[in-house]
Amino acid sequence: MYIGAIEAGGTKMVCAVADEQLRIIAQTEIPTTTPEETLARLFGFFDHYSLKALGVGSFGPIGIDPKKDDYGYILETPKVGWTNIDFLGSLKKRYAIPFAWTTDVNAAAYGELKQGAAEGKSSCIYLTVGTGIGAGVVLDGNIFQGRAHPEMGHIRVKRHPDDYYEGTCPYHKDCLEGLAAGPSLEARTGIKGQDLAQDAPVWEMQAYYIAQALVTYTLTLAPEKIILGGGVMNQDHLLDKIRQQFVEQMAGYMESPEVSEYIVRWGLPNKSGIIGSLLLGKEATA
Ligand code: ADP
Ligand code: ZN
């Protein structure tokens, strides 16, 4: 018997099958096209295995309240064709097994807590800075959510005094995601993040905004670790700029761990989400 996992992204779905010790025995990537086509290809992969459970970490927003009709659905998403799709329900129809269902970033936070940069801790936040900004939270060993899952990428931030850019968020314009996700770098400079020089002034702004978010998360949730992932964080110099800004903005208020231990890169590069989904899938069998 095997455990299956899906890290469902807007671009691709990473699928894995592992044995009960969670050693991955098969893995594939399926492009996220239409729901029908994508589901057919997911079935084409998982049908080969006798699964005991499946863990799914999905792009969102998603319905997570089992008491509501939209449980298991992908809700209003910019990904064309996927709004109000009963993703979990379609999987459940195919496989009558226990499922775990959460957001991609929650799954990544869980993976990092159990086997990655926060191993041995009982709380962490995983923040991804990519096409969008999203965070997953684990507190006291459990994924943290209320009526819905948190949307910590859309918090308000104080503007950098030199920043006149209006922001990319279709809802709020200049929320954190609007001012600091990958597309904002390109919108300000005309150059994609990956091609920008290390000394471009925009990185200071970027660090200023991300650090503000980390200060807010620290003051509200006091996690043991904050783990940073996502395409934009491939800029190695950015981590130090964020740490410096964080220390400056905290201004000595509230004791927090040594910053180089506290704000870190992912411990499971490109794998936090799929490993977290496997772990959650396995727990769903218990
Ligand atoms: P997604 O968020 O779609 O899953 P990524 O995490 O790779 O994908 O994020 C893509 C965004 O990150 C794009 O805006 C891209 O320009 C930016 N990006 C990718 N690589 C880098 C890099 N090395 N430096 C800065 N920005 C990058
Ligand atoms: Zn927003």
Side-chain angles (χ1 to χ4, degrees):
M1 288 291 246
Y2 297 111
I3 309 292
I6 305 173
E7 186 190 6
T11 313
K12 63 177 192 285
M13 307 251 165
V14 180
C15 309
V17 173
D19 64 19
E20 291 194 38
Q21 281 70 50
L22 294 189
R23 289 179 297 234
I24 294 178
I25 58 147
Q27 186 161 346
T28 193
E29 285 184 5
I30 290 167
T32 308
T33 56
T34 62
E36 297 72 27
E37 192 177 49
T38 310
L39 279 160
R41 295 184 68 177
L42 288 172
F43 298 156
F45 175 71
F46 287 112
D47 278 0
H48 293 293
Y49 304 94
S50 168
L51 296 179
K52 202 172 167 191
L54 233 166
V56 187
S58 177
F59 71 103
I62 61 174
I64 53 129
D65 181 350
K67 294 189 294 296
K68 287 175 68 180
D69 291 344
D70 65 8
Y71 178 72
Y73 278 63
I74 307 232
L75 306 177
E76 197 174 314
T77 170
K79 177 73 187 173
V80 177
W82 284 81
T83 293
N84 290 327
I85 291 296
D86 184 10
F87 188 48
L88 179 65
S90 307
L91 292 165
K92 281 187 164 171
K93 262 189 215 132
R94 185 81 171 189
Y95 307 109
I97 52 175
F99 275 82
W101 170 247
T102 191
T103 62
D104 46 5
V105 278
N106 278 340
Y110 200 71
E112 288 289 337
L113 185 91
K114 294 289 178 182
Q115 296 189 2
E119 200 176 343
K121 308 283 184 202
S122 62
S123 59
C124 74
I125 292 179
Y126 175 88
L127 183 79
T128 179
V129 187
T131 307
I133 296 185
V137 181
V138 183
L139 292 180
D140 216 2
N142 295 309
I143 288 172
F144 172 75
Q145 55 194 19
R147 177 185 54 75
H149 53 81
E151 284 286 345
M152 292 158 64
H154 290 267
I155 60 169
R156 296 209 147 259
V157 283
K158 192 198 289 185
R159 259 184 188 272
H160 189 283
D162 301 331
D163 190 9
Y164 299 102
Y165 176 57
E166 63 168 1
T168 54
C169 176
Y171 292 89
H172 317 113
K173 289 222 169 11
D174 60 354
C175 65
L176 174 68
E177 177 172 298
L179 292 175
S184 74
L185 294 166
E186 189 178 352
R188 280 195 192 87
T189 61
I191 302 168
K192 280 193 194 309
Q194 51 269 50
D195 301 323
L196 271 166
Q198 260 197 42
D199 58 359
V202 74
W203 293 120
E204 289 299 331
M205 269 178 206
Q206 178 81 11
Y208 177 79
Y209 291 129
I210 303 288
Q212 276 191 62
L214 304 190
V215 167
T216 298
Y217 305 156
T218 299
L219 295 173
T220 48
L221 298 168
E224 287 161 282
K225 281 224 188 241
I226 296 181
I227 300 152
L228 302 176
V232 175
M233 289 311 303
N234 288 319
Q235 295 284 328
D236 289 336
H237 59 97
L238 189 56
L239 183 61
D240 267 338
K241 291 189 172 83
I242 292 169
R243 286 172 173 160
Q244 279 167 21
Q245 274 292 329
F246 176 85
V247 171
E248 210 170 294
Q249 294 177 20
M250 281 294 275
Y253 186 77
M254 186 175 176
E255 196 193 334
S256 49
E258 160 58 32
V259 72
S260 62
E261 297 281 312
Y262 180 54
I263 300 173
V264 297
R265 288 283 281 137
W266 49 15
L268 302 168
N270 299 310
K271 290 196 305 201
S272 330
I274 197 71
I275 289 180
S277 302
L278 279 172
L279 286 159
L280 291 164
K282 183 169 182 195
E283 284 173 22
T285 64

